[in-house]
Amino acid sequence: TTGTPVTVLTGALGSGKTTLLRYILGKNHGYRVAVIQNEFSEEMGMESPLITNSSGETFKDIVELPNGCLCCSAKDGLITALDRLLEERQRFDYVLVEATGVADPQSICEIFWVDDELGSKVYLDGVVALVDSQNALHLLDGDGVGAELGLQAESAKQVACADVLIMNKADLTSEAHRAKVAARIVALNPTATVHESTYAEVPLSALLAIKAFDRQRLATSLSAMAQL
């Protein structure tokens, strides 16, 4: 596959996406990653933008961070952000797209095979979903917090669409509870690779250039989910 690999990062609010992005954009891990941050979440009063300048304004263009990674905003749409980044193609090796907590990962994935021009420059490498081990069962069962926000369907779809599932906040839950969460997410998505994490720290080799995305598998997962 030619082109730059793109990873889509999903996860319900509170699952640890911002923590993982801070790690990618802040630590010296040796990977040159361009992160596209999604900001329509601001309008919902959720997830304030990660990167602001000294006067508190959100960066509008591409920003280079001390560790060599880049960050830009998807406020004008994902395709526009990707086009803008690709003008700086020599400065990065991987792209990570952050989806907001309620985004439908399927609609993001579809961008990559609808836009032929884009498809010649980038390819969808994998979909990674962060799962909050503490609250996943509430979200997936639609009770408690999940019911208040009506996020049951979105949470299930994020799990079903993922190539890699990261059970985050492992330090806050018992082994027995994590086993229940794992069983539940594997029932929704039997083919994904599952990792456990604390503070969303996962080797980046498990997230980037994994060549995991398979359109047929996505379709199978979604039809299986519809029958559950």
Side-chain angles (χ1 to χ4, degrees):
T1 310
T2 56
T4 303
V6 177
T7 300
V8 173
L9 178 66
T10 69
L13 191 70
S15 60
K17 288 201 309 291
T18 302
T19 308
L20 177 57
L21 289 178
R22 282 206 178 104
Y23 169 71
I24 290 171
L25 293 170
K27 294 282 193 293
N28 291 319
H29 41 63
Y31 285 82
R32 297 194 312 161
V33 186
V35 172
I36 297 177
Q37 261 203 284
N38 220 321
E39 281 175 2
F40 71 74
S41 50
E42 263 190 303
E43 296 157 20
M44 299 165 57
M46 294 181 183
E47 294 181 13
S48 63
L50 191 66
I51 296 206
T52 51
N53 64 15
S54 52
S55 54
E57 294 165 6
T58 309
F59 283 126
K60 292 182 172 48
D61 297 313
I62 299 169
V63 180
E64 182 155 13
L65 294 129
N67 68 353
C69 288
L70 306 177
C71 187
C72 75
S73 145
K75 66 175 181 8
D76 299 323
L78 180 55
I79 291 178
T80 306
L82 279 164
D83 282 341
R84 201 180 302 152
L85 267 181
L86 288 164
E87 290 169 16
E88 304 287 336
R89 174 64 198 86
Q90 73 288 356
R91 291 168 63 187
F92 58 88
D93 304 309
Y94 313 93
V95 175
L96 182 76
V97 175
E98 174 208 10
T100 56
V102 293
D104 177 351
Q106 185 184 6
S107 60
I108 297 175
C109 294
E110 282 169 358
I111 287 171
F112 292 92
W113 58 76
V114 169
D115 190 314
D116 287 342
E117 193 186 340
L118 191 65
S120 64
K121 298 173 190 165
V122 295
Y123 68 92
L124 186 52
D125 181 62
V127 178
V128 175
L130 274 159
V131 176
D132 173 353
S133 297
Q134 234 181 342
N135 295 309
L137 296 177
H138 290 308
L139 275 172
L140 292 168
D141 291 333
D143 58 43
V145 181
E148 285 165 39
L149 297 172
L151 297 178
Q152 184 180 8
E154 284 88 348
S155 300
K157 196 164 190 182
Q158 286 174 354
V159 169
C161 287
D163 301 300
V164 176
L165 290 161
I166 300 169
M167 286 172 50
N168 192 30
K169 304 187 181 178
D171 55 322
L172 301 179
T173 51
S174 67
E175 204 170 318
H177 179 79
R178 290 200 303 280
K180 278 186 194 165
V181 173
R184 186 65 194 277
I185 62 178
V186 167
L188 278 169
N189 186 341
T191 57
T193 308
V194 181
H195 299 277
E196 285 189 6
S197 69
T198 299
Y199 298 112
E201 287 197 11
V202 187
L204 293 189
S205 58
L207 313 180
L208 303 172
I210 51 176
K211 291 194 165 47
F213 183 76
D214 179 334
R215 201 168 157 186
Q216 186 55 52
R217 191 197 67 72
L218 176 66
T220 307
S221 284
L222 290 171
S223 63
M225 186 187 91
Q227 289 159 18
L228 282 177

